[in-house]
Amino acid sequence: MDIILLPFIGLILASMQQSQNLKKGHLGKNTTNNLKGISIIFIILHHINQELGPVAGTFFASRLSLAGRLGVAIFFFVSGYGIMRQYQIKGPSYLKNFLPHRLLPIVTLYILAMVLIFPIKHFPMGLTLKQAAISMTNGAPFVNDSWFILAIIFFYLAFWLAMKLSKGHALPLFAILLLLTAIYTGYIWKKGMGEWLINAAFVFPTGVLFAYYEDHFIPFIQRYYSPIMLSTSTLFAICFTLDEVHSLMRYRMLSEIFFALALMIISYKVECDNKLFLISSAWSLNLYLYHPFIASLLHGNAAIAAHSVIYGLLVIILSYLVAGVIAFIQRKVKTIRPKETIPVKS
């Protein structure tokens, strides 16, 4: 795995460049899309490493469990930040079209994944419709690791509802958003579904909050950039260390929030720009929906799983192939428009 991970880290370093985000007063779309792309690649590598377990050649990859967790934090922050920025740019019309234009495509892709994956798990593996339905409510959906997509759907709905009820006013908006996030977190914790479902939960509203007040933050960040960057990075390091020592959820959640904030502060002056990251961002939902299933399926083949590098490369290639095909079909469907009927004169 190290032979795959280290070149990827090298690619990140090679694609770094000076950013104008701080002068412009906001995180540009190119910056956030590259970050989203990097996060999904780290998540894919994390799941590959999970399937492989401790094998030779995974000295660095053995820490990918942490990278996967932090990758989710990046994705959640960028998602929350992005939808609030779009609302600020487009105004109330964005909220009016939010459900059909932003949420429905995600739900549609998820349903498609269920339709494609269920028969594969039903016929050779014996998965029943009842088992599949139950899996959608217990934190372990039959579409492998798709809790992440369900979380995104929940947070998008929470954002829409909070904006509708608050009419965009700060205090009720964030009170509702934080309350809904707390209910989500509390329910999962009480049901014992798994801490990975809630590690980064509060990063999403943090991203929304950051975008909402970004205009107020920018003069302060411009003036005190270095102290703020060092402070957020240090707070992340402290919370991260406390979590490693004590393994307490509060430290883990805080480490996710401060990591996302530190990375965003850094991104005002330094950003990555790479075609692979942008493609990964554009295909991120499909990559997330299918790569865990592909990783699990290939790991069931002893001949492939015995060679970690070949296994890892096959998972990556097939995941991008499937995501690319579905993205291509999506583009084709979008270009289909009903033909206008020409009225006939009587």
Short mmCIF file of all heavy atoms in Angstrom, two decimals, residues 230-246 250-252 254-255 258-259:
data_model
loop_
_atom_site.label_atom_id
_atom_site.label_comp_id
_atom_site.label_asym_id
_atom_site.label_seq_id
_atom_site.Cartn_x
_atom_site.Cartn_y
_atom_site.Cartn_z
N LEU A 230 -1.56 29.12 13.03
CA LEU A 230 -0.84 28.38 14.05
C LEU A 230 -1.77 27.94 15.19
O LEU A 230 -1.65 26.83 15.72
CB LEU A 230 0.32 29.22 14.61
CG LEU A 230 1.51 29.43 13.66
CD1 LEU A 230 2.47 30.46 14.23
CD2 LEU A 230 2.23 28.11 13.41
N SER A 231 -2.71 28.80 15.54
CA SER A 231 -3.64 28.49 16.64
C SER A 231 -4.55 27.31 16.28
O SER A 231 -4.72 26.38 17.08
CB SER A 231 -4.50 29.71 16.98
OG SER A 231 -3.69 30.77 17.44
N THR A 232 -5.15 27.37 15.09
CA THR A 232 -6.05 26.28 14.69
C THR A 232 -5.27 24.97 14.52
O THR A 232 -5.77 23.90 14.89
CB THR A 232 -6.78 26.63 13.38
OG1 THR A 232 -5.83 27.05 12.39
CG2 THR A 232 -7.81 27.73 13.60
N SER A 233 -4.06 25.06 13.97
CA SER A 233 -3.24 23.86 13.81
C SER A 233 -2.84 23.27 15.16
O SER A 233 -2.86 22.05 15.35
CB SER A 233 -1.98 24.18 12.99
OG SER A 233 -2.31 24.66 11.71
N THR A 234 -2.51 24.15 16.10
CA THR A 234 -2.12 23.70 17.44
C THR A 234 -3.30 23.07 18.17
O THR A 234 -3.17 22.03 18.82
CB THR A 234 -1.56 24.87 18.26
OG1 THR A 234 -0.43 25.44 17.59
CG2 THR A 234 -1.14 24.41 19.66
N LEU A 235 -4.48 23.69 18.04
CA LEU A 235 -5.68 23.14 18.68
C LEU A 235 -6.02 21.77 18.10
O LEU A 235 -6.42 20.86 18.83
CB LEU A 235 -6.85 24.10 18.50
CG LEU A 235 -6.80 25.36 19.38
CD1 LEU A 235 -7.84 26.37 18.92
CD2 LEU A 235 -7.02 25.00 20.85
N PHE A 236 -5.83 21.63 16.79
CA PHE A 236 -6.02 20.32 16.17
C PHE A 236 -5.04 19.30 16.76
O PHE A 236 -5.44 18.18 17.14
CB PHE A 236 -5.84 20.39 14.66
CG PHE A 236 -5.56 19.05 14.02
CD1 PHE A 236 -6.51 18.04 14.05
CD2 PHE A 236 -4.33 18.79 13.41
CE1 PHE A 236 -6.25 16.79 13.48
CE2 PHE A 236 -4.06 17.56 12.84
CZ PHE A 236 -5.02 16.55 12.87
N ALA A 237 -3.76 19.68 16.84
CA ALA A 237 -2.73 18.77 17.35
C ALA A 237 -3.02 18.36 18.79
O ALA A 237 -2.87 17.19 19.16
CB ALA A 237 -1.36 19.44 17.25
N ILE A 238 -3.48 19.31 19.62
CA ILE A 238 -3.78 19.03 21.02
C ILE A 238 -4.96 18.05 21.14
O ILE A 238 -4.89 17.03 21.84
CB ILE A 238 -4.09 20.33 21.80
CG1 ILE A 238 -2.82 21.17 21.93
CG2 ILE A 238 -4.67 20.02 23.18
CD1 ILE A 238 -3.06 22.57 22.47
N CYS A 239 -6.05 18.36 20.43
CA CYS A 239 -7.24 17.51 20.48
C CYS A 239 -6.96 16.13 19.89
O CYS A 239 -7.44 15.11 20.41
CB CYS A 239 -8.40 18.17 19.75
SG CYS A 239 -9.02 19.66 20.56
N PHE A 240 -6.17 16.11 18.82
CA PHE A 240 -5.81 14.85 18.19
C PHE A 240 -5.00 13.98 19.15
O PHE A 240 -5.25 12.77 19.29
CB PHE A 240 -5.01 15.12 16.92
CG PHE A 240 -4.60 13.89 16.17
CD1 PHE A 240 -5.49 13.28 15.29
CD2 PHE A 240 -3.35 13.33 16.35
CE1 PHE A 240 -5.12 12.14 14.60
CE2 PHE A 240 -2.97 12.18 15.66
CZ PHE A 240 -3.86 11.59 14.78
N THR A 241 -4.05 14.59 19.84
CA THR A 241 -3.21 13.86 20.80
C THR A 241 -4.05 13.36 21.97
O THR A 241 -3.89 12.21 22.42
CB THR A 241 -2.07 14.77 21.32
OG1 THR A 241 -1.30 15.23 20.20
CG2 THR A 241 -1.17 14.00 22.27
N LEU A 242 -4.93 14.22 22.49
CA LEU A 242 -5.80 13.82 23.60
C LEU A 242 -6.70 12.64 23.20
O LEU A 242 -6.94 11.73 23.99
CB LEU A 242 -6.66 15.00 24.05
CG LEU A 242 -5.93 16.11 24.81
CD1 LEU A 242 -6.83 17.32 24.99
CD2 LEU A 242 -5.44 15.60 26.17
N ASP A 243 -7.16 12.67 21.94
CA ASP A 243 -7.98 11.56 21.45
C ASP A 243 -7.16 10.27 21.37
O ASP A 243 -7.64 9.19 21.74
CB ASP A 243 -8.55 11.91 20.07
CG ASP A 243 -9.29 10.74 19.44
OD1 ASP A 243 -10.04 10.06 20.16
OD2 ASP A 243 -9.11 10.51 18.23
N GLU A 244 -5.92 10.38 20.89
CA GLU A 244 -5.05 9.21 20.78
C GLU A 244 -4.76 8.61 22.16
O GLU A 244 -4.69 7.39 22.32
CB GLU A 244 -3.74 9.59 20.10
CG GLU A 244 -3.85 9.87 18.62
CD GLU A 244 -4.06 8.59 17.82
OE1 GLU A 244 -3.08 7.84 17.64
OE2 GLU A 244 -5.20 8.35 17.39
N VAL A 245 -4.62 9.48 23.17
CA VAL A 245 -4.26 9.03 24.52
C VAL A 245 -5.49 8.50 25.26
O VAL A 245 -5.46 7.43 25.87
CB VAL A 245 -3.61 10.18 25.32
CG1 VAL A 245 -3.40 9.76 26.78
CG2 VAL A 245 -2.28 10.58 24.69
N HIS A 246 -6.59 9.27 25.20
CA HIS A 246 -7.76 8.93 26.02
C HIS A 246 -8.90 8.28 25.23
O HIS A 246 -9.81 7.71 25.84
CB HIS A 246 -8.30 10.20 26.70
CG HIS A 246 -7.30 10.87 27.59
ND1 HIS A 246 -6.90 10.33 28.79
CD2 HIS A 246 -6.61 12.03 27.43
CE1 HIS A 246 -6.01 11.14 29.35
NE2 HIS A 246 -5.81 12.18 28.55
N ARG A 250 -15.39 13.39 22.55
CA ARG A 250 -15.35 14.85 22.51
C ARG A 250 -14.04 15.36 21.91
O ARG A 250 -14.03 16.34 21.16
CB ARG A 250 -15.59 15.45 23.90
CG ARG A 250 -14.60 15.05 24.98
CD ARG A 250 -14.91 15.80 26.27
NE ARG A 250 -14.05 15.40 27.38
CZ ARG A 250 -14.34 14.45 28.24
NH1 ARG A 250 -15.48 13.78 28.11
NH2 ARG A 250 -13.52 14.15 29.22
N TYR A 251 -12.93 14.70 22.23
CA TYR A 251 -11.65 15.10 21.66
C TYR A 251 -11.59 14.79 20.17
O TYR A 251 -11.04 15.55 19.37
CB TYR A 251 -10.49 14.41 22.38
CG TYR A 251 -10.36 14.79 23.83
CD1 TYR A 251 -10.16 13.81 24.81
CD2 TYR A 251 -10.44 16.12 24.24
CE1 TYR A 251 -10.04 14.14 26.16
CE2 TYR A 251 -10.33 16.46 25.58
CZ TYR A 251 -10.12 15.47 26.52
OH TYR A 251 -10.00 15.81 27.85
N ARG A 252 -12.18 13.65 19.78
CA ARG A 252 -12.17 13.27 18.37
C ARG A 252 -12.99 14.25 17.54
O ARG A 252 -12.57 14.67 16.47
CB ARG A 252 -12.73 11.85 18.21
CG ARG A 252 -12.64 11.30 16.80
CD ARG A 252 -12.72 9.80 16.80
NE ARG A 252 -11.64 9.20 17.56
CZ ARG A 252 -11.49 7.90 17.76
NH1 ARG A 252 -12.36 7.05 17.22
NH2 ARG A 252 -10.49 7.43 18.48
N LEU A 254 -13.71 17.39 18.28
CA LEU A 254 -13.01 18.68 18.24
C LEU A 254 -11.81 18.63 17.30
O LEU A 254 -11.53 19.60 16.59
CB LEU A 254 -12.55 19.07 19.65
CG LEU A 254 -13.66 19.55 20.60
CD1 LEU A 254 -13.12 19.69 22.02
CD2 LEU A 254 -14.24 20.88 20.12
N SER A 255 -11.10 17.49 17.28
CA SER A 255 -9.95 17.38 16.38
C SER A 255 -10.38 17.47 14.92
O SER A 255 -9.70 18.07 14.09
CB SER A 255 -9.18 16.07 16.64
OG SER A 255 -9.92 14.95 16.19
N PHE A 258 -11.22 21.28 14.24
CA PHE A 258 -10.01 22.12 14.16
C PHE A 258 -9.13 21.74 12.97
O PHE A 258 -8.46 22.60 12.39
CB PHE A 258 -9.23 22.06 15.47
CG PHE A 258 -9.86 22.83 16.59
CD1 PHE A 258 -10.19 22.21 17.79
CD2 PHE A 258 -10.15 24.18 16.44
CE1 PHE A 258 -10.78 22.92 18.82
CE2 PHE A 258 -10.75 24.91 17.47
CZ PHE A 258 -11.07 24.27 18.66
N PHE A 259 -9.15 20.46 12.59
CA PHE A 259 -8.40 20.07 11.38
C PHE A 259 -8.98 20.76 10.16
O PHE A 259 -8.25 21.31 9.34
CB PHE A 259 -8.45 18.55 11.19
CG PHE A 259 -7.89 18.11 9.88
CD1 PHE A 259 -6.53 18.08 9.65
CD2 PHE A 259 -8.74 17.74 8.83
CE1 PHE A 259 -6.00 17.68 8.42
CE2 PHE A 259 -8.23 17.34 7.60
CZ PHE A 259 -6.86 17.32 7.40
#
